[in-house]
Structure formats: C-alpha cells, structure tokens
Amino acid sequence: DTGVSQNPRHKITKRGQNVTFRCDPISEHNRLYWYRQTLGQGPEFLTYFQNEAQLEKSRLLSDRFSAERPKGSFSTLEIQRTEQGDSAMYLCASIGSGANVLTFGAGSRLTVL
Amino acid sequence: GESVGLHLPTLSVQEGDNSIINCAYSNSASDYFIWYKQESGKGPQFIIDIRSNMDKRQGQRVTVLLNKTVKHLSLQIAATQPGDSAVYFCAERPFRYSTLTFGKGTMLLVSP
C-alpha cells in the first residue's frame, strides 16, 4: 500500500490551456474525493465518487471542471480554459467502505500564469 | 502566544510546552470531527478524531476535546516538539457519508 498518489505534483500553465490531474487512491478504497486548497485556507470540497459513480459536486465545480473515475480505481480532474483564479493545490483523498478517516495525497499544485 | 497573521492564526510555543489549538465549528448537527496536520508542500495527515457522543478522546501526545454546547473543538499536544510545527485543521461532518467541511487552520510554530 503506497497511499494516495497524485500526478503531476506541480503544473505550470498559461491561461486558457487545459490541464489534467490524476489520482490513484488506496486500492481497496471505494470512495474518492477531490478538494481544492488555496494559500492559507482549509481544503474545499469539489466532488466525490463512490466506485465509478460521481455522487456529489460542489458549486465550486464550474463547467470548466470535469472529473472522472471510469473503472472505479484512478480518477482524473480536468480543468479546461484555465484562469488565474484556478491556481491552487488540488488534493485527492480516498476512504474505504464504513471508514471515517479520509487519507489524502500530497496534492497537485497548479500555477496559472 | 496566539496571534492572527495575514492568512492564518499562529500559535508560537517553546519545545516541551503543551499546545492548545482551538476550533469553532458551524453545524450543531455534525456527528463527527477530525483534526489534520499539514506540513508545507504535503497533504493533510490524520491526527485524531472524535464522534459527537464523546467529549474527550486521547491519542499519543494528543487529546481532542469537544464542547457541543458552544460548538467548540480543541486539540491539545503534550510536550510539543519542533516536528509538530505545521498547520492544523479541524473538520466536521454534518452527517454520516456527507463530506468533511474544513476550518481555516492554525499554524503552530515550535521553537527549540
């Protein structure tokens, strides 16, 4: 068990470009969460999956954001037409059935120039 | 002492002191609370949790206290070490299977 893995760790892009982040959760965890964290703030919920089903999306998740978990294992978060306000740390977390504690990955930091 | 910085409240202590980090939560119906520690450049790391039917829970060097009357949560760290320096977040869960809602966080600085 290598924990929750996120790639890339850091992405620098120009405004208007698309970016995609990948999350590999702990293998036996059926629920996967995406959070966004800006400097000095706590993580803010974006969306979560139970297996391959996306069960909840935050109002923070604009139309430019899309997340998938096609086979109920890894997940991707894509941001289209990035804006400077999208600059943040994108955190992935996973949790097993019946458990309470979310295990977070190290995050993917996005910088939009 | 405790102060409010530009971004985060900060608690500065000396190595060996006991630290107390406070958190006010918002939802009186929340059934579960958790503390995370986040070091620079890393994701949040679980410290300790507590259910709403308890008012105190102890771990190794850490204790969480829950006061539902005033919607207050605190994290006590005994014999604070330089390795405890990090940002600490409390989070609440409004109901089972709902998502965690995080507070703003407190930066703990431990001087040798």
Side-chain angles (χ1 to χ4, degrees):
Chain A
D1 179 2
T2 57
V4 178
S5 177
Q6 292 190 246
N7 289 288
R9 291 294 315 279
H10 195 181
K11 178 72 175 178
I12 301 172
T13 191
K14 293 182 180 178
R15 189 175 53 187
Q17 298 296 304
N18 299 344
V19 296
T20 299
F21 299 114
R22 176 177 169 128
C23 172
D24 288 88
I26 293 172
S27 57
E28 63 269 26
H29 286 183
N30 63 338
R31 280 184 284 154
L32 183 149
Y33 292 74
W34 286 99
Y35 280 79
R36 182 174 71 185
Q37 186 177 29
T38 53
L39 192 63
Q41 301 296 317
E44 296 173 294
F45 168 74
L46 292 178
T47 188
Y48 96 93
F49 293 83
Q50 181 161 307
N51 300 313
E52 66 275 11
Q54 188 172 18
L55 296 187
E56 188 176 346
K57 292 193 287 187
S58 162
R59 286 172 293 178
L60 292 175
L61 212 67
S62 77
D63 292 344
R64 296 183 297 105
F65 287 68
S66 62
E68 295 182 340
R69 195 183 183 199
K71 297 182 180 179
S73 56
F74 73 91
S75 176
T76 57
L77 176 68
E78 181 183 17
I79 308 173
Q80 296 182 324
R81 304 182 302 283
T82 52
E83 301 173 355
Q84 287 184 326
D86 296 332
S87 295
M89 175 79 86
Y90 291 85
L91 292 164
C92 177
S94 68
I95 186 170
S97 178
N100 290 312
V101 179
L102 277 178
T103 300
F104 282 86
S108 292
R109 180 167 295 284
L110 174 64
T111 302
V112 182
L113 302 177
Chain B
E2 187 170 335
S3 63
V4 177
L6 284 177
H7 297 289
L8 287 171
T10 301
L11 177 63
S12 298
V13 301
Q14 295 285 325
E15 182 177 2
D17 287 351
N18 296 331
S19 302
I20 300 175
I21 299 171
N22 296 304
C23 174
Y25 64 91
S26 59
N27 192 331
S28 57
S30 289
D31 72 336
Y32 174 77
F33 304 87
I34 188 168
W35 282 97
Y36 282 92
K37 169 187 180 182
Q38 188 173 25
E39 296 173 285
S40 181
K42 298 183 179 180
Q45 178 185 5
F46 168 75
I47 301 173
I48 192 167
D49 58 358
I50 188 168
R51 294 184 180 276
S52 60
N53 61 353
M54 304 171 67
D55 52 22
K56 180 179 180 178
R57 190 169 187 213
Q58 288 185 290
Q60 187 177 13
R61 284 202 307 120
V62 294
T63 301
V64 55
L65 298 177
L66 175 62
N67 185 330
K68 293 183 287 295
T69 303
V70 294
K71 294 191 289 186
H72 184 268
L73 199 63
S74 68
L75 176 70
Q76 300 178 357
I77 305 174
T80 316
Q81 303 167 359
D84 295 327
S85 293
V87 178
Y88 290 80
F89 293 98
C90 69
E92 62 182 305
R93 186 180 71 188
F95 55 89
R96 187 152 176 77
Y97 298 120
S98 68
T99 57
L100 285 177
T101 300
F102 283 80
K104 283 188 175 295
T106 297
M107 179 175 289
L108 176 65
L109 297 175
V110 183
S111 305

